[in-house]
Every structure is written in structure tokens, then in C-alpha cells.
Amino acid sequence: MLQRYSPRRRVGTALAAVLAVGFGATEAFADRALTPVPFKDGFESGATTAFPRKGIDGTGTVDVKAAPGGHGGKAVRFVMPDDGKSYRTEIATARVPYGSYRYTFANYLPNDWIRYDAQTIVSQWHGGAGTYPAVVLAVKGDRWMMIVHWKTGSDLADESRHPAHEVKYDLGPVRLGHWNQWSFDITWSTAATTGSITARLDGAEVGSHRGPNSYHQDTAPYHKIGLYRPNWQAWKGHKAGGTPAVVNYYDDVTITAISPGAPVPPPAAPSAKTTATSAPDRSGASASPSVQAPASAQAPASAPATGPAAPGSALDAADAIPLDTGSDQDTDNDAGPLAETGASSHTPIILAFGSALLAAGLVLVFRSRAARRRAGGRRGD
């Protein structure tokens, strides 16, 4: 009688192995889950749980408060004290597949914001550990700056041995005590796709970039918001300065899949903001930078226009942007760059395959157990 059921037991053993493989595949790639698209969070829940990552170095805080400036509703508030320890207070979305997206958000710098002539990063799109952020939105002095970094399949993976290509854009003057309505249309570059970025502030285009804009890893960069002052890191010699804490508010963060060249979104509200005039492109590339203020002294809006930094140029000491060290809570996109011919997201396929194996293993194991119970009942009869 025992031999009668030995084939079934062998099948059960095989199914258990399938189950283990399915579970292992799902477990191994569960931390590489993608951001649901479209993504939207206005923080009216009073929490930031829609953002799976949080990076706080020092004693900074992230909490949801009543929105200032007559905005209404709630907003997330980032606070970073000048205590000699704090330099980063951020939250971030999960990653997305490669493609074209519209990232929109509103941010508010209070009237008591103190000018800082090095960079304060308020938004960044990060590709992975050991890399500079692919796209940066920062405040430098009294100017908005956009910085783009990239690598191609032929570049070395080690950032310290081969700095990322870089180009900088001046997006115009900063307005304090004002809700800035930002929109970034980004087509992430791959080995087969030409990247592009169009930045709009209060409905007006303030900067654009055409060309590579990522590290061609397994998934496109994820979006971080908050505060990051690279020069406030202790190892760079920064000590408590006794200045008031830096504060930044964010609201209405969205990610929407779009087609390249999608219609321009209307401004959220009329704005009296005066935008800087874009400068002619003198770099020989397709990027169209605006005026760029020097690191040592911020030039007025009427200063002569300058072109972007040459690709591959070294970072200014005052502009030093930190490598992602992978210290964010939860997961980081820490995969290495793909080969030149293979830039795409394999994560959804692997997740689907692992889940299918897991589901099949569960069904078949349960059926096998049910069959054994029925057989046992017949033997009892």
C-alpha cells in the first residue's frame, strides 16, 4: 500500500521544491518593488507612509503639519537643525520602471530661510548606492539650480575612479514665503532611449535638458524630497553654527506616466514670479541651460549668461553633491549599471515569475494533501 502512494509523495517533494523556489524568488526581489503609477500623496492622512524610505542623519525631523502660506490642508515639514550632526532629512518614493513620467510637487521655503551659498538639495532623483543623484533640484544662494548626472554602459561603475558626467542649469530666482508649483517631465535615458527633462515652475518652463540622465541600472531613479546639505557633514569639517534650523515644506507629490512631449500642465494658481531668460546653448549639446551663478558670489538675474559645465567636469568644492551611501531605511536601488545593450527593468518579470511559482506550488501542495487525506479515509473504511 505504501508503494501505491510513493509516486504522489515524490510529486509532493518536487512541488515543495517548486514552492521553495517561488518563495525564494519572491523574497529575493520583494525589496525591489516598484512605485504604483500613478502615485499621489497630499499628506491629508497626517502621515508619510506612502513613502517607503526615510533618510535622517542627525536630529532632523519629518512630520505632517498644517500647510503654511495660506495653502490650506496639510503638508509634510522637514526640519534640519544646525547642530553639527544633521545634514540630511528626506523621504523617498519607491522606484519606477524606465519610461516617461511627470513628477509634480509643491514646496515652500519660509520667509525666515537664511541664504546659504553652497547647495541645499530639496529634491533629487537617485539611481543607486555609490552614485551621484541623476537629477537634483537645489537652492544655491538665492537661485534655483538643476543638476544632471549620468553614466553610460562604457563608463566605469566606480564613481570615485570615474566621476559622473555633469551639467548644471540655473532655473531662476528663489521666492521665499511662496508655494512653488513644480513639474518635471522626465524621459529616463537608456542605451536605446534618448533622455529628456523639462522643468516648469508655476506653469512656466524654466529649464530643459536633452540627452543621458540616468545610470542605466535595472530600474529608473526614485524620487527623494526634503533637505540635504552636503557641506554640513561632519567629516567635511562642519560644526554647529548656531543658526536657526532649516525648514522646507512639501505637498501634493505626484508621479504620472506620460507620453514624451505630453501637453504642458496648467499652473496651479496665477503667479507674479519673474523667470530668468534662458541662455543660448553654447555647449554644442542639445541641452538648453539658463543663467548660471558662480559658486563664490551669486550673480544678479541680469548678469551675462554662461553655458553649462562641461560633461565630466569636477565638482566645485561648494557644490559637492554626496554619493548615495545606501543608508536610507528600507531599500535602495543598489544594482550595478546594465550592459550597453540591456537597459530595461527586469524586476516586474522576475516578481511575476516568482509569484506564479509560489502560487502554483501552494495550489499543488494543498491538492496533494487533500488527496492523501481522502486516501487515508478510504483505508480507514
Side-chain angles (χ1 to χ4, degrees), residues 99-144:
S100 298
Y101 300 94
R102 175 165 293 154
Y103 300 84
T104 65
F105 50 88
N107 89 301
Y108 178 93
L109 304 181
N111 283 312
D112 59 1
W113 176 279
I114 296 178
R115 176 188 172 117
Y116 185 69
D117 286 335
Q119 288 176 3
T120 303
I121 298 172
V122 299
S123 201
Q124 56 177 303
W125 288 261
H126 228 302
T131 62
Y132 294 109
V135 182
V136 167
L137 174 64
V139 179
K140 182 177 180 182
D142 56 5
R143 310 292 295 181
W144 289 111

Side-chain angles (χ1 to χ4, degrees), residues 55-79:
I56 298 178
D57 292 274
T59 60
T61 58
V62 179
D63 54 8
V64 177
K65 299 290 186 179
H71 187 66
K74 299 177 181 178
V76 60
R77 182 182 67 171
F78 300 90
V79 179

Side-chain angles (χ1 to χ4, degrees), residues 7-222:
R8 182 169 293 159
R9 289 176 178 171
R10 288 196 294 270
V11 171
T13 302
L15 293 179
V18 170
L19 179 63
V21 171
F23 180 79
T26 304
E27 178 73 14
F29 293 95
D31 66 344
R32 308 193 70 76
L34 305 178
T35 289
V37 178
F39 171 90
K40 182 176 182 179
D41 191 11
F43 305 103
E44 294 308 307
S45 67
T48 60
T49 52
F51 295 78
R53 297 176 175 83
K54 179 185 292 184
I56 298 178
D57 292 274
T59 60
T61 58
V62 179
D63 54 8
V64 177
K65 299 290 186 179
H71 187 66
K74 299 177 181 178
V76 60
R77 182 182 67 171
F78 300 90
V79 179
M80 192 170 63
D82 186 9
D83 57 7
K85 301 177 181 178
S86 303
Y87 62 90
R88 176 176 66 161
T89 304
E90 295 178 303
I91 58 176
T93 68
R95 56 186 60 83
V96 296
Y98 279 102
S100 298
Y101 300 94
R102 175 165 293 154
Y103 300 84
T104 65
F105 50 88
N107 89 301
Y108 178 93
L109 304 181
N111 283 312
D112 59 1
W113 176 279
I114 296 178
R115 176 188 172 117
Y116 185 69
D117 286 335
Q119 288 176 3
T120 303
I121 298 172
V122 299
S123 201
Q124 56 177 303
W125 288 261
H126 228 302
T131 62
Y132 294 109
V135 182
V136 167
L137 174 64
V139 179
K140 182 177 180 182
D142 56 5
R143 310 292 295 181
W144 289 111
M145 303 296 296
M146 180 174 74
I147 305 169
V148 184
H149 299 108
W150 69 90
K151 282 181 177 292
T152 64
S154 59
D155 290 326
L156 295 175
D158 185 350
E159 198 78 6
S160 64
R161 295 174 57 193
H162 190 111
H165 303 295
E166 178 189 79
V167 65
K168 302 176 183 178
Y169 303 89
D170 187 319
L171 304 185
V174 172
R175 291 180 63 190
L176 303 180
H178 168 75
W179 277 98
N180 305 285
Q181 305 291 332
W182 291 99
S183 173
F184 285 79
D185 285 3
I186 302 179
T187 295
W188 293 110
S189 64
T190 69
T193 304
T194 301
S196 65
I197 305 171
T198 300
R200 300 182 181 91
L201 176 56
D202 296 333
E205 183 175 326
V206 291
S208 64
H209 169 85
R210 297 293 180 273
N213 59 15
S214 78
Y215 289 78
H216 298 185
Q217 293 175 308
D218 62 338
T219 51
Y222 55 87

